Amino acid sequence: MHAGSHAVLILWSAIVIFPLYIMVINSFKDRLSIYKDTFNLPKIWHISNYTDVLSSGDFMRYFLNSFIAVIVSLALVVILGTLASYALAQWRGRWSTFLHFFFMAGMMLPIKIASIKLLEIIRILGLLNSVWALIPIYVAMGLPIAVFVLTEFIRQIPKDLLEAALIDGCGRLGILKKIVAPLLRPAIATVAIYNLIPFWNDLWFPLIFISDEKSKTLLLGVTRLFGQYQTDWSKVLAVLTLSSLPVLTLYLLFSKHFIKGMTSGAIKG
Amino acid sequence: MQSSAKKTRLHLGANSLNPKGLYWIWFMIPALAFYVVFMAYPMLESLRLSFFTGNYGNRVFVGFSNFIKLFSDSDHSERFFNAFKNTAIFFAVHMLVQNVLGIVFAVLLTNTHMRGRKIYQTIIFVPTTFAVLVTGYLWKLLLSPVWSKPFLTGMGLGALAKPWLGMESTALLFVSLVSCWQWIGIPTMMFVAALRNISEDIYEAAYIDGATGWQVFWGIKLPLLKPIIGMITILTFVNNFNAFDIVFAMENVNGAPGYSTDLIGTLFYRLGIAGQHPIGIPDPGMGAAVSTLIFIMLAIVSILILRRTETKG
């Protein structure tokens, strides 16, 4: 049964896994054995590639910079997105329809085409060469999908529930905090996952804003180390493995949520 | 006086069951501020700047001259049309390989009784979680003859160990295929979701009437997938006209070798952000002109595709 289907899917799975296997196993070999004996597991597992990369200090700083930019941006997207969606879901009028549409337009348009002006804005704000330059841009990038998902979700909460709380003397912010936010948790998870990958994996904005070593993000660091270790591929592979490990781990733990999060609202890739 | 009147209204709004915009807008201001300052305004400004030349501070209105330069100035137009052609090929490869395989995988994955579906899905989707840069670097090493030669010679396929990324005739194809390898999980899972929404009864009825698997695919599944095919086409188009990282990683920002992998995205970077070789001075006006053209193209193509694939009724 399904032999043909399995054959096709196994073949593709091999095409996916083979390069990743090569990347990981060779990152544990020494410099020369990766050419002589590429496909077998290393005879001796050298962790020196990893310790060298990690002990140089730069890598951890790159990692930390990316981590700050992504976490702060995600938090802002979720908080500001929830506030805006809470209003949009309940406020019915011409203006709310317009504002909803206004946010949705941001899902269709790639923010990259605004780069020329963004570069000027960031320069005027004095944020050039700082990891803080990335945050407002990621927030603007992430808000449309957040508003889209969260507004839909809040609209499904029974109005009676909210009105009863209001009559009981609970303020609108209190209702948001005590009733709406806990119900929103799965939707917030979707929004966070959806934005995590483009934020973490973004090369474009760090590339055009940041040239200072101190402020480089992980991917910018990878470009530097790729050049620096060009003749030592096992180290390059260690860098590539290390840089993809955080998201890959999260993905393998929560693959169902990732697939759902990345395809359900997928207006953007 | 005025402010106290405002306060009362706000107060009334907060307590009434149906407060008006004046109340709700306060919840939206923080999000709107970020969205307007860092998305809407710069996007509109980038369109406007396509009619100017020079940098912030000493900008001169030049009308359509940036566009005219792009289309007819000998240096610029050659690069522009070349990048446009390459992006079209890049897009075509994605449509033919990524999206066709996506449908195939989705159909196989929605075979209800097949084992191991979850595992296959998880594997197909793995590359989408990688940074394009990392994928690009990894494949650059794998495709290098330094590595591929011993391997392929061992399999008796030594003739295949060529510097595929270094030859003008093949570089773009290989860059495109690597990009497909990475993103195939997105269309696959979108098709899976769409196929799951189609009621099983429809196929059952067709099979009972004696239809073959192929007939069910061409006659039932594919027409029902039409709206989602349109969505994915738009998505692929938007992403391809933005693509930059993959060429940056596997070749360089000049679209080596010999501009054969130069895409609209890399051209935009050189013209507007980094500066063209050999002068190296960016021209924001020209960059803005390229982004305006991307904007217009995305708008036209999205509308056309939505019109064609919209299901009636």
Side-chain angles (χ1 to χ4, degrees), chain B residues 123-142:
Chain B
I123 293 172
I124 291 173
F125 210 75
V126 162
T128 62
T129 66
F130 278 69
V132 177
L133 182 83
V134 170
T135 308
Y137 280 159
L138 176 60
W139 277 99
K140 186 180 180 170
L141 300 185
L142 287 166

Side-chain angles (χ1 to χ4, degrees), chain A residues 207-246:
Chain A
L207 186 71
I208 69 175
F209 293 150
I210 299 170
S211 54
D212 191 356
E213 272 305 314
K214 288 200 310 296
S215 308
K216 279 189 176 169
T217 60
L218 185 59
L219 284 188
L220 277 186
V222 170
T223 65
R224 202 205 99 192
L225 295 173
F226 189 84
Q228 186 179 329
Y229 296 140
Q230 197 121 56
T231 50
D232 191 349
W233 284 15
S234 51
K235 254 195 201 97
V236 169
L237 295 170
V239 170
L240 297 182
T241 308
L242 273 176
S243 68
S244 37
L245 216 51

Side-chain angles (χ1 to χ4, degrees), chain A residues 169-209:
Chain A
C170 201
R172 295 251 174 210
L173 266 177
I175 294 174
L176 178 60
K177 232 167 46 193
K178 286 185 206 129
I179 301 172
V180 178
L183 288 170
L184 273 184
R185 246 175 241 158
I188 287 176
T190 302
V191 169
I193 285 173
Y194 182 85
N195 285 317
L196 170 71
I197 296 201
F199 292 0
W200 184 263
N201 288 343
D202 179 42
L203 171 71
W204 178 260
F205 288 109
L207 186 71
I208 69 175
F209 293 150

Side-chain angles (χ1 to χ4, degrees), chain B residues 162-173:
Chain B
K162 286 191 179 147
W164 299 113
L165 294 174
M167 301 188 294
E168 286 187 27
S169 53
T170 52
L172 181 61
L173 178 68

Side-chain angles (χ1 to χ4, degrees), chain B residues 150-210:
Chain B
F151 171 55
L152 290 168
T153 315
M155 283 172 43
L157 297 166
L160 287 178
K162 286 191 179 147
W164 299 113
L165 294 174
M167 301 188 294
E168 286 187 27
S169 53
T170 52
L172 181 61
L173 178 68
F174 277 79
V175 169
S176 311
L177 288 174
V178 169
S179 175
C180 293
W181 176 86
Q182 166 143 41
W183 294 115
I184 201 160
I186 303 267
T188 302
M189 291 316 297
M190 286 175 80
F191 284 127
V192 164
L195 284 170
R196 290 231 176 94
N197 282 337
I198 301 172
S199 159
E200 288 280 321
D201 303 349
I202 300 177
Y203 318 138
E204 299 284 325
Y207 284 122
I208 289 167
D209 288 345

